Amino acid sequence: MRSIGRNDPCPCGSGRKYKHCCLRRDRKIEQLERAVARFEYGEQNTVKTVRRLVSELNSESGSEPERELESLFAAAEAMADFETQREAIEEASEKLESHRTEFEALMDDSSSALDHAMRLFSEETFAPFRYTPEDLNEAFSRTGFPRLHREEIEPADMEAIIGAMLSMVDEKDRLRLSLELFMLLPDYVDAGRYMDAWMIQLSALKMVDEPERSNPFLTSLVFQAYEAWWQQLTQESDQMYRALGADPEELDAMAEDERIAWMEAQLTDPEKRALLENQYRDRSLLMRQTQATLEDIEQESIALLEREDSARLALSEEELEPWIHTFFERLGPKIVSLSEAASEGRVPDEATVETLRNETIDIVIEMTESIFTPERLRKLGETLEAYHEHLQSIGEQEMARLAYVVSTMVSHEEEPSYNPFLIMLCHHSLMDAIEVLSEHSASVHSET
């Protein structure tokens, strides 16, 4: 709202000025957001303000609240409901105090506490709160996917799951969930389920007091979603493998690099490639997860180029010569300008440095597209296969895995200028050659 002038056209597209259209509504939304953000348990005046603003906004819109306001309205409704039950909630919380020592003993054993939370929050009472596999997949697409086909959740996978968990709830969602959990307390206390009530209360408190961390409730919900996500992903994988005439159990027994190599090999058959593309289109979870895995491997593969024994992958002098000429032809004046500034003790011009960087990238991308023809990609694949065997022979299993996967990926690459490994291979080769040439020129100049 603050970035829109009163006399500007309204962004809703009505054609009217902002002050005659959505300004009044936006101001009320802003007031509602501030009121919700200021909410404290038992603060009746804030609840009254929220109720009034929600009522006014609903009457003005004459329809259901817009999708982007759903979480705000849900939080406002939870505040109103909480206030009507506040006395019963406070009474239930007071009764729990006599069971605090027993609950603290439960929480001291993290494994038992997690098992307890998982059992509690898997009950039907909490079904309306649960996330779907699609919800979790969307969160993974923002924060990063865990790797496929691992028997146990590894630390890197756990980071991905926790990152997804925290991205799924914003400040308003946390307030709403906290209030809705508190409203469950009286029933659990009345039923004598004191440890369950304590777990609910702890989660409700942590939901708003520790927004950057998880809590038993969120952890349980996300791991339930993860289990459902994994099962759906496995089903989609099995269906796709069978459609390609493969045995899912045999593929599952393969190492990750072997499975990816098998998948890449399918792309060489036009009929299987078309079938594979159709299978992926019909399976959204599998498509997005596999794409993310391949992108991760592409980025990881760049580490191969940092190794001293990776010189065998470098481009030849014949391939590099025309691009060294292009580099100096286009960028020579800028390089000279920066060198002169450095020799005179002047700070390099930032615009010139940025331009030099961007134009270098442009040259490298042109170079990648020009050099890596299908035949050259095939030869690089063979070189990487030999490098894979070398790395295995010296016990570098993780690097060997990368070399093996990259060898299959580059052999079938259709757009070299979009492949991070190929781009960095060209960049490393070009910069190394220019460095050697510069050192040689400096040596000759010194002798002269």
Side-chain angles (χ1 to χ4, degrees):
M1 184 185 72
R2 297 186 188 91
S3 63
I4 307 169
R6 290 171 54 84
N7 293 313
D8 291 344
C10 188
C12 76
S14 66
R16 294 186 291 168
K17 290 184 178 180
Y18 184 50
K19 65 183 179 182
H20 297 313
C21 193
C22 292
L23 175 61
R24 174 186 169 91
R25 164 188 167 277
D26 287 351
R27 280 181 173 167
K28 287 182 179 178
I29 290 171
E30 200 170 66
Q31 291 171 16
L32 179 58
E33 287 177 334
R34 285 199 298 266
V36 169
R38 289 198 308 267
F39 175 74
E40 294 181 8
Y41 304 122
E43 192 177 290
Q44 296 187 45
N45 288 335
T46 300
V47 175
K48 289 178 182 177
T49 300
V50 166
R51 280 176 171 163
R52 174 180 59 79
L53 288 167
V54 169
S55 177
E56 290 175 0
L57 282 165
N58 281 332
S59 63
E60 286 182 12
S61 66
S63 62
E64 291 297 315
E66 295 93 330
R67 184 172 182 82
E68 63 267 25
L69 297 178
E70 283 181 357
S71 63
L72 180 61
F73 276 68
E77 290 173 3
M79 287 170 58
D81 291 342
F82 174 86
E83 190 57 33
T84 63
Q85 301 178 45
R86 181 166 59 89
E87 190 174 329
I89 293 167
E90 290 176 351
E91 183 179 332
S93 184
E94 289 175 6
K95 289 181 180 178
L96 284 180
E97 282 303 311
S98 61
H99 301 275
R100 176 183 287 274
T101 302
E102 183 182 354
F103 181 68
E104 289 176 346
L106 170 64
M107 296 303 293
D108 284 341
D109 184 341
S110 58
S111 179
S112 297
L114 179 60
D115 288 344
H116 189 110
M118 294 293 289
R119 286 196 301 273
L120 168 62
F121 296 120
S122 65
E123 293 179 1
E124 195 60 27
T125 300
F126 302 94
F129 298 103
R130 289 178 192 150
Y131 298 110
T132 66
E134 289 72 22
D135 292 333
L136 188 57
N137 207 61
E138 182 64 30
F140 282 145
S141 70
R142 295 191 299 268
T143 62
F145 283 82
R147 285 291 179 86
L148 279 175
H149 301 285
R150 287 182 170 170
E151 295 180 0
E152 296 182 358
I153 298 176
E154 297 188 6
D157 298 330
M158 185 65 73
E159 287 181 14
I161 296 169
I162 292 173
M165 178 193 311
L166 296 177
S167 78
M168 292 168 79
V169 284
D170 61 19
E171 184 179 355
K172 293 182 286 294
D173 288 330
R174 283 182 171 273
L175 174 60
R176 174 184 60 81
L177 290 169
S178 177
L179 295 173
E180 291 180 354
L181 286 173
F182 270 121
M183 285 186 276
L184 295 173
L185 275 188
D187 288 343
Y188 278 82
V189 171
D190 289 345
R193 297 178 60 176
Y194 302 117
M195 295 302 97
D196 293 342
W198 256 113
M199 192 68 75
I200 292 169
Q201 179 173 256
L202 176 68
S203 297
L205 290 169
K206 285 183 173 292
M207 192 74 70
V208 290
D209 291 344
E210 300 179 8
E212 301 302 320
R213 300 181 64 183
S214 183
N215 57 69
F217 173 72
L218 271 184
T219 299
S220 300
L221 258 60
V222 170
F223 273 97
Q224 289 172 34
Y226 180 79
E227 182 64 28
W229 175 83
W230 182 262
Q231 289 178 359
Q232 185 171 328
L233 201 61
T234 301
Q235 290 173 358
E236 289 186 1
S237 298
D238 289 351
Q239 290 167 359
M240 184 191 66
Y241 293 148
R242 290 193 182 97
L244 291 169
D247 183 346
E249 292 185 3
E250 290 181 3
L251 285 166
D252 283 342
M254 293 180 181
E256 182 184 39
D257 54 348
E258 295 175 323
R259 189 165 41 255
I260 291 174
W262 175 87
M263 186 66 72
E264 289 289 330
Q266 307 308 301
L267 302 179
T268 60
D269 183 331
E271 290 186 7
K272 286 191 175 182
R273 184 186 183 93
L275 178 61
L276 189 61
E277 289 173 352
N278 289 331
Q279 291 291 320
Y280 269 114
R281 274 196 293 271
D282 294 339
R283 294 169 174 81
S284 60
L285 264 64
L286 182 64
M287 178 180 67
R288 296 178 73 175
Q289 203 283 337
T290 303
Q291 181 181 5
T293 298
L294 292 174
E295 289 172 356
D296 286 346
I297 289 173
E298 283 182 341
Q299 294 300 323
E300 291 172 6
S301 67
I302 295 171
L304 290 170
L305 302 175
E306 306 293 338
R307 295 177 58 89
E308 292 184 2
D309 59 4
S310 67
R312 69 191 72 197
L313 304 176
L315 303 180
S316 67
E317 291 182 6
E318 292 76 16
E319 290 172 321
L320 288 168
E321 184 176 355
W323 293 100
I324 294 173
H325 176 75
T326 299
F327 180 84
F328 283 111
E329 184 178 50
R330 291 192 197 174
L331 307 182
K334 295 183 179 67
I335 294 171
V336 170
S337 173
L338 291 174
S339 297
E340 289 176 349
S343 64
E344 295 171 5
R346 290 185 283 113
V347 177
D349 179 62
E350 290 185 9
T352 303
V353 173
E354 183 65 20
T355 301
L356 182 62
R357 183 182 298 113
N358 291 336
E359 291 185 7
T360 299
I361 292 171
D362 291 340
I363 291 171
V364 169
I365 289 175
E366 289 176 31
M367 178 182 174
T368 306
E369 190 168 9
S370 173
I371 290 175
F372 285 110
T373 63
E375 176 61 20
R376 182 63 176 86
L377 288 169
R378 184 187 64 78
K379 289 181 179 178
L380 177 60
E382 292 174 353
T383 304
L384 280 161
E385 286 181 16
Y387 190 33
H388 156 75
E389 293 175 3
H390 161 71
L391 291 168
Q392 274 195 321
S393 69
I394 62 174
E396 294 273 7
Q397 299 304 322
E398 186 64 20
M399 289 292 106
R401 179 187 70 84
L402 281 175
Y404 182 75
V405 174
V406 176
S407 70
T408 61
M409 292 173 71
V410 300
S411 297
H412 308 297
E413 180 60 73
E414 294 183 346
E415 297 182 291
S417 59
Y418 288 91
N419 185 298
F421 179 81
L422 296 176
I423 292 170
M424 291 306 297
L425 174 56
C426 285
H427 184 271
H428 277 246
S429 298
L430 181 61
M431 292 301 106
D432 287 349
I434 289 172
E435 184 179 357
V436 170
L437 183 63
S438 299
E439 289 175 353
H440 176 71
S441 297
S443 176
V444 170
H445 178 74
S446 176
E447 290 175 3
T448 303

